[in-house]
Amino acid sequence: MISRTECLKKELEENDVVMSVGVCWSEKCGDTINKMISEAEEKMYEAKRLYYISESVNMKTEIVNSFDNGRNRTMLHHERFIKTATKLLELNGGRGSCYLLSMDISEFKMVNYHYGISGGNELLKAFEDYLTSLPLQLYYERIFADCFLILHIDRKVRSDEEKLERCKYYEDVFIQSQQKKYPACKLRLCCGVTHIKDNNLVEAIDNANIARREAKREKINVIFSNDKYNEHIRSKQLEKEILEILKEERFTFFLQPQNDMNTGEIIGAEALARGYWPCGKMIYPDVFIPVLEENGAIVELDLLIIRQVCEHLSDRLKQGLPVVKTSINLSRIHAYTHNTAERIHGIVSTYKVPKELLLFELTESVFIEDISGIQRLCKELNNLGYKIAIDDFGAGYAGFNLWNDFSFSQVKLDQQFLIGNPDMMRHKMAIVAGVVQIGKLLDTQVLCEGVEQEEQTGRLIEVGCNYAQGYYFSKPMPQKDFYQYMDNIKKNK
Ligand code: C2E
Ligand code: CA
Ligand code: CA
C-alpha cells in the first residue's frame, strides 16, 4: 500500500503536476464501487487538507484515484468536459456570451455528516436533475464530489452583472426546492464565473475554480478577474510557506497570565501560538490561523501546541518547578473532525500530564455554527476527564441556554464587554453580573479578557468578576519570561 502511494508521489514530483489523492482498498471498505468511490473521495479531501501527498502553487487538477478498479474518474470527467465543451464552443462560433461556471454545494460535508452519504448523494442527484431540466443552452459535468463545471452559451451578450444574476437565479430555485429536505443544514451554492477567452477551457477552468474558492470564502458568487488571480497566487504562496513552517514545526507558544484581581495571584495561563519565518521573524495568529483554518491543517497546529504544552508541563513537573493550569485553544474545525478527543488524550497520556492542569478553549461562534459536531467533541472531552472553557463569550449571539447542553469550567467574557460609552457600560456590567451569578450556581469560573486599564479592573470587581486576562497585567510572553513574571509576583506579595 505504501509503495504504491510512494510511487505515485514520485511520479507527481517528477512531472511537476500536483494532485490531491485519495486511495481506498476494496478489502477494507467492502464490496460496492460506490462505497469505494466515497471512501476515496473522503481520503482525497483529507489529503487536500493535510497536503499529505503533495501541493504546489500551480494546482491544475484534483484527482481521485481508486487503484483497485484502475480508472481515474475525475480525470475522465474533466477530460470529457473539456472535449465536449470545446466542440460546443467551436459550433457556436463566437456568438453571444460564453461563460463557465464552477459550482459546488457550500458545506456539503455537513450534508453528509447529518444525512449520511446516501443523503448527500440524493442532493447531488437532485442538482444534476435540476441542471438537466434547465431549458438553456447549458452543458455540465460533475467533476468530483460536489464540484460541477457548467458551460453556458447564451445567445445574447451578457454583462457580468447579468451573469451573476443568472447564477443567483439558478441557486435560488434549486435551494428552494431542496432546503426543506435538509433542515439541519443551510444549503447554499458557491459559484465562480469566468468569461472563456479564445476558447481556452483549461485556463477558464482554473479561473472559474479560483472564483469559486473566493465565492466560498466571501459567501457570495464571484466573477473572475486578473486581480483575483494575482491575489490567489499570493495567498497560495503564503499558504505554502505557512504549511512549510508547520511541517518543520517552527511553531511555539507564548503564555499570557490569568489573574485573580482580588488576591493578585496567577490562576492560570493561556497558550498562544507563535510561528517563525525562516528568517527568524515572528509570524502572528492573525496571519496563520485563517490560512490553516481554510485548509484544515489547523487541526495539526492545535495538536502540535498541545504536545508542546504537555512536554513543557511534564518537564517542569519532573524538575519540581511550579506550574499553572494552561488553557489551549481548539479551532472550530475540530467540530468537523472525528478523532480530536482521542488524539488529545493520546498526547496527554504520553506525557502523563494531570488533566486538571489543562483547559481547552472553544470559541463561542462554533456553538452557534454547528451544534451537533461541537456537542460530540465536548462530550468526548468531558468523558475523558478534560475541562472546557467557552472563549469570546458575548462576541456573537450565543444565548444562556448553552448551559443546558454543555458543561463549562470557565467562561471567558469577550473584550467587547469593556468597550462603550457610560450608558452602554451600565448595561454591559449588568450582563457581566448576571453571568457571574450563573457561573457561581453552575460552578463555572468567569474571567474577562482584554483588560487593558485599571478602571476596567475596578468595574469588573464591582460586579463580582474577579478573574481577568489582558495587557493591563501582561502581554503574552515567552515561556521563561512567564515564570520569571510569576516569581516576581510571588516575591512582591
Ligand atoms: P483568543 O483566543 O481570543 O486569544 C486572545 C488574544 O487576545 C491573543 O491574541 C492575545 O494576545 C490578545 N490579547 C490579550 N490581552 C489583550 C488585551 O488586553 N487587549 C487586546 N487588544 N488584545 C489582547 P493572539 O495571541 O494574537 O491570538 C489571536 C487569536 O488567535 C486567539 O484569540 C485565538 O483565537 C487564535 N489562536 C492563538 N493561538 C492559537 C492556537 O494555538 N490554536 C488556535 N486554534 N487558535 C489560536
Ligand atoms: Ca482563547
Ligand atoms: Ca478570546
Side-chain angles (χ1 to χ4, degrees):
M1 176 165 148
I2 289 164
S3 67
R4 281 196 241 185
T5 311
E6 283 298 316
C7 203
L8 182 76
K9 188 177 171 186
K10 195 159 170 277
E11 201 176 298
L12 295 177
E13 281 165 3
E14 280 168 5
N15 293 320
D16 195 28
V17 178
V18 177
M19 298 182 257
S20 295
V21 181
V23 184
C24 83
W25 304 94
S26 55
E27 307 87 8
K28 203 182 137 222
C29 65
D31 39 10
T32 69
I33 190 65
N34 273 345
K35 252 182 153 180
M36 288 177 67
I37 290 169
S38 302
E39 175 129 331
E41 280 180 350
E42 185 63 31
K43 292 252 170 68
M44 183 272 290
Y45 274 125
E46 205 174 306
K48 206 159 124 112
R49 275 206 312 270
L50 302 180
Y51 288 67
Y52 173 56
I53 304 259
S54 170
E55 176 63 305
S56 98
V57 190
N58 305 312
M59 181 161 6
K60 289 273 183 257
T61 329
E62 289 154 329
I63 294 183
V64 176
N65 247 302
S66 181
F67 291 157
D68 283 15
N69 72 354
R71 82 195 164 117
N72 190 323
R73 218 166 56 95
T74 300
M75 201 54 160
L76 211 77
H77 291 197
H78 198 262
E79 273 173 6
R80 192 164 64 198
F81 181 83
I82 293 182
K83 221 162 145 184
T84 313
T86 306
K87 251 190 215 146
L88 290 171
L89 287 170
E90 280 166 11
L91 281 173
N92 181 56
R95 276 163 294 184
S97 279
C98 300
Y99 46 102
L100 182 71
L101 278 59
S102 171
M103 269 198 175
D104 72 14
I105 297 169
S106 171
E107 299 293 346
F108 183 64
K109 61 180 182 306
M110 292 312 293
V111 175
N112 280 333
Y113 184 83
H114 288 289
Y115 300 96
I117 300 280
S118 63
N121 284 347
E122 266 174 44
L123 182 63
L124 292 173
K125 171 81 174 49
F127 189 52
E128 291 200 46
D129 289 347
Y130 170 68
L131 289 174
T132 314
S133 75
L134 288 173
L136 295 153
Q137 181 112 25
L138 191 141
Y139 160 63
Y140 79 89
E141 193 74 58
R142 181 183 156 206
I143 304 298
F144 69 93
D146 60 325
C147 291
F148 291 78
L149 285 175
I150 305 162
L151 171 72
H152 205 311
I153 300 180
D154 203 322
R155 272 189 230 117
K156 286 189 184 151
V157 176
R158 303 274 180 195
S159 67
D160 284 354
E161 286 71 30
E162 281 175 308
K163 288 175 196 164
L164 282 176
E165 261 170 40
R166 243 138 223 272
C167 291
K168 184 87 188 77
Y169 174 75
Y170 297 155
E171 180 182 348
D172 287 350
V173 175
F174 176 67
I175 299 294
Q176 259 175 33
S177 71
Q178 296 299 314
Q179 184 60 75
K180 54 185 175 305
K181 288 192 208 152
Y182 301 91
C185 303
K186 174 127 184 51
L187 297 182
R188 201 179 75 79
L189 297 178
C190 291
C191 184
V193 188
T194 186
H195 171 71
I196 305 164
K197 217 169 96 194
D198 305 328
N199 287 3
N200 184 343
L201 269 161
V202 175
E203 185 183 285
I205 291 172
D206 275 351
N207 295 348
N209 284 336
I210 290 172
R212 173 173 53 82
R213 284 187 204 110
E214 183 172 330
K216 211 173 196 104
R217 276 196 302 276
E218 301 298 322
K219 299 190 167 51
I220 183 164
N221 295 333
V222 167
I223 294 245
F224 174 82
S225 69
N226 282 336
D227 284 353
K228 288 194 172 64
Y229 180 73
N230 293 334
E231 176 53 34
H232 170 75
I233 294 295
R234 263 198 304 277
S235 74
K236 275 278 154 203
Q237 182 58 30
L238 178 69
E239 182 183 25
K240 194 173 168 236
E241 287 165 5
I242 291 173
L243 284 168
E244 207 51 46
I245 295 179
L246 181 59
K247 224 187 257 175
E248 290 172 9
E249 300 195 353
R250 288 205 303 270
F251 275 100
T252 184
F253 64 91
F254 275 26
L255 289 169
Q256 187 178 30
Q258 300 181 333
N259 300 62
D260 181 329
M261 293 184 284
N262 274 331
T263 63
E265 253 175 288
I266 292 182
I267 55 151
E270 179 174 7
L272 293 155
R274 299 288 183 264
Y276 293 93
W277 294 112
C279 66
K281 246 178 106 178
M282 197 175 281
I283 168 169
Y284 287 90
D286 59 331
V287 179
F288 60 77
I289 299 281
V291 174
L292 295 177
E293 283 202 332
E294 179 148 343
N295 64 29
I298 188 78
V299 169
E300 300 310 311
L301 172 69
D302 284 355
L303 291 164
L304 173 66
I305 298 294
I306 293 169
R307 179 153 58 75
Q308 291 181 348
V309 168
C310 287
E311 196 176 358
H312 163 84
L313 289 172
S314 138
D315 277 356
R316 289 189 65 88
L317 288 170
K318 274 186 210 147
Q319 294 175 54
L321 295 167
V323 289
V324 289
K325 181 183 277 191
T326 307
S327 301
I328 301 172
N329 291 284
L330 289 184
S331 160
R332 56 169 32 77
I333 305 297
H334 296 284
Y336 302 97
T337 52
H338 273 272
N339 54 358
T340 291
E342 218 178 288
R343 289 180 78 187
I344 291 177
H345 189 54
I347 297 169
V348 179
S349 310
T350 305
Y351 289 96
K352 299 191 177 63
V353 172
K355 291 171 191 167
E356 318 77 75
L357 277 182
L358 301 171
L359 187 57
F360 291 102
E361 296 191 4
L362 281 156
T363 186
E364 174 195 75
S365 59
V366 73
F367 290 88
I368 309 167
E369 242 170 56
D370 175 34
I371 276 293
S372 65
I374 198 72
Q375 244 164 359
R376 177 184 43 75
L377 174 62
C378 290
K379 209 167 143 202
E380 286 171 1
L381 283 170
N382 283 156
N383 287 346
L384 288 165
Y386 296 99
K387 305 245 181 281
I388 293 162
I390 180 165
D391 199 2
D392 311 316
F393 187 79
Y397 290 95
F400 288 116
N401 55 0
L402 271 184
W403 265 279
N404 286 329
D405 299 321
F406 297 93
S407 109
F408 303 116
S409 295
Q410 190 186 58
V411 170
K412 297 187 81 176
L413 299 173
D414 191 73
Q415 192 189 33
Q416 67 91 6
F417 280 105
L418 302 173
I419 299 163
N421 62 36
D423 205 31
M424 283 158 90
M425 284 323 299
R426 214 165 46 82
H427 283 93
K428 288 184 176 182
M429 283 304 131
I431 298 171
V432 173
V435 178
V436 169
Q437 282 311 313
I438 297 175
K440 270 190 192 138
L441 293 169
L442 298 178
D443 211 12
T444 305
Q445 185 180 63
V446 178
L447 174 144
C448 189
E449 284 193 293
V451 176
E452 293 178 348
Q453 297 148 14
E454 191 173 1
E455 59 159 338
Q456 293 172 334
T457 64
R459 238 180 260 144
L460 288 167
I461 292 171
E462 216 172 282
V463 291
C465 177
N466 295 328
Y467 306 110
Q469 179 182 336
Y471 294 167
Y472 174 69
F473 305 98
S474 167
K475 287 198 168 180
M477 302 173 262
Q479 294 146 35
K480 263 197 196 128
D481 297 358
F482 172 80
Y483 291 103
Q484 186 67 52
Y485 169 87
M486 221 167 85
D487 278 353
N488 289 345
I489 287 196
K490 269 192 198 143
K491 273 183 211 145
N492 293 337
K493 272 188 89 183

